[in-house]
Amino acid sequence: MQNRVTTSSLYKMKKDGKKITALTAYDYPFAGMVDAAGIDIILVGDSLGMVVQGKENTLPVTMNEILYHTAMVSRACSYSMVVGDMPFMSYHLSIEKAIHNAGRFLKEAGASAVKLEGGADVCDVIRAISKTGIPVQAHIGLTPQSVHQMGGFKVQRDEERLMADGLKVQEAGAFSVVLEGIPSPIAAKITQSLEIPTIGIGAGPDCDGQILVLHDMLGINNRTLPKFVKKFADLSLAARQGLKQYADEVRAGVFPSKEYEYK
Ligand code: KIV
């Protein structure tokens, strides 16, 4: 079995030019499959709100909800690094509350790092959490928790600001940064300028790694997908076919047949 992924192994992968793989997961069975597939990072994303809870955006997700899901994911993983996503308003009220909430991911849910959204504006928080020994992954560009401020889920194109955000979160102690919804040439320049690994989502092929939302890339939800998502499987179709066949067979008296009966 391979050793569990750490911040050091991620740095080494960047240095060696090896691409980093990342996906989200929210529960034990799927996290087990992602871990067994050798995916380097599993993010228990607050995308949970949209793809599992059926909400319109990520804002309503609470600490207790995401901790519950993170604990399930952690129990399934022996290779992947588990990163807990800090929900909206869990790191904004004070540095003390941010440290307390970040600590809960490690103490109560078995994560080994946390992620939070924002660039220059959250560097104080990144610095303070990192100083306690908790690795922090930053997230810049399209930051879904600011959906109302951005006026929707929009690609971010302000190169100067994005570059400054990347450099500042690195300086504040982030071990990695997610680049979301950024034109490929800008993401490539940020990646070249940073020593920490960049993990892209809708940010082109030149990031150090890639992340997608599991339910999107496996076609678990039958929803319209953003342009940057490739559907690698259609689990929704397979499930709907299986469910229909079950209903048809029960109604026709075909299931259960002899082989499924106790004698
Ligand atoms: O919440 C999430 O799933 C994320 C990823 C899309 C990066 O933040």
Side-chain angles (χ1 to χ4, degrees):
M1 183 185 299
Q2 282 178 286
N3 288 337
R4 192 187 270 277
V5 175
T6 62
T7 52
S8 323
S9 47
L10 295 173
Y11 287 126
K12 185 163 177 347
M13 286 174 80
K14 171 161 181 144
K15 224 171 124 234
D16 296 347
K18 288 198 184 131
K19 291 283 186 188
I20 297 166
T21 54
L23 284 171
T24 67
Y26 316 93
D27 63 20
Y28 182 84
F30 276 107
M33 290 183 239
V34 176
D35 184 73
I39 300 298
D40 302 307
I41 300 174
I42 297 186
L43 170 70
V44 188
D46 63 358
S47 47
L48 163 72
M50 297 169 82
V51 300
V52 175
Q53 298 176 329
K55 293 179 177 161
E56 216 172 279
N57 56 48
T58 60
L59 304 186
V61 173
T62 66
M63 271 301 296
N64 285 341
E65 287 168 349
I66 204 143
L67 288 173
Y68 172 74
H69 286 272
T70 305
M72 287 190 263
V73 168
S74 297
R75 280 195 286 276
C77 292
S78 57
Y79 169 74
S80 312
M81 169 192 268
V82 177
V83 180
D85 204 6
M86 297 194 70
F88 181 57
M89 283 297 136
S90 68
Y91 53 98
H92 306 81
L93 302 180
S94 72
I95 297 277
E96 285 71 23
K97 286 198 173 122
I99 293 173
H100 172 75
N101 284 328
R104 291 188 70 194
F105 279 97
L106 276 67
K107 280 176 84 82
E108 299 173 34
S112 45
V114 297
K115 175 173 86 59
L116 54 85
E117 295 183 9
D121 46 334
V122 292
C123 280
D124 285 353
V125 183
I126 294 175
R127 191 170 290 110
I129 297 175
S130 303
K131 271 193 183 154
T132 67
I134 301 172
V136 181
Q137 184 170 52
H139 180 160
I140 65 171
L142 194 171
T143 46
Q145 291 176 8
S146 309
V147 58
H148 297 305
Q149 197 174 47
M150 291 183 302
F153 297 106
K154 290 186 180 155
V155 175
Q156 302 297 300
R157 302 176 184 278
D158 183 343
E159 181 170 342
E160 210 175 306
R161 181 178 163 201
L162 291 164
M163 181 61 84
D165 279 343
L167 291 168
K168 282 182 180 155
V169 297
Q170 171 173 273
E171 189 273 322
F175 75 92
S176 161
V177 56
V178 170
L179 306 181
E180 178 165 357
I182 296 177
S184 310
I186 301 180
K189 279 191 202 162
I190 297 172
T191 300
Q192 277 163 17
S193 307
L194 297 185
E195 280 163 34
I196 57 173
T198 62
I199 309 294
I201 173 161
D206 297 317
C207 299
D208 297 308
Q210 297 290 327
I211 185 164
L212 285 174
V213 169
L214 187 74
H215 286 44
D216 291 345
M217 56 86 70
L218 288 185
I220 294 172
N221 295 341
N222 202 16
R223 69 173 188 141
T224 312
L225 299 176
K227 175 184 163 71
F228 59 80
V229 178
K230 177 172 173 182
K231 213 160 143 180
F232 288 83
D234 195 342
L235 297 197
S236 168
L237 180 65
R240 281 181 283 130
Q241 282 170 345
L243 294 167
K244 184 173 179 316
Q245 188 180 344
Y246 167 74
D248 289 347
E249 289 191 14
V250 170
R251 287 182 187 126
V254 171
F255 176 83
S257 53
K258 286 269 174 270
E259 62 190 303
Y260 300 103
E261 283 179 38
Y262 293 113
K263 297 262 180 318

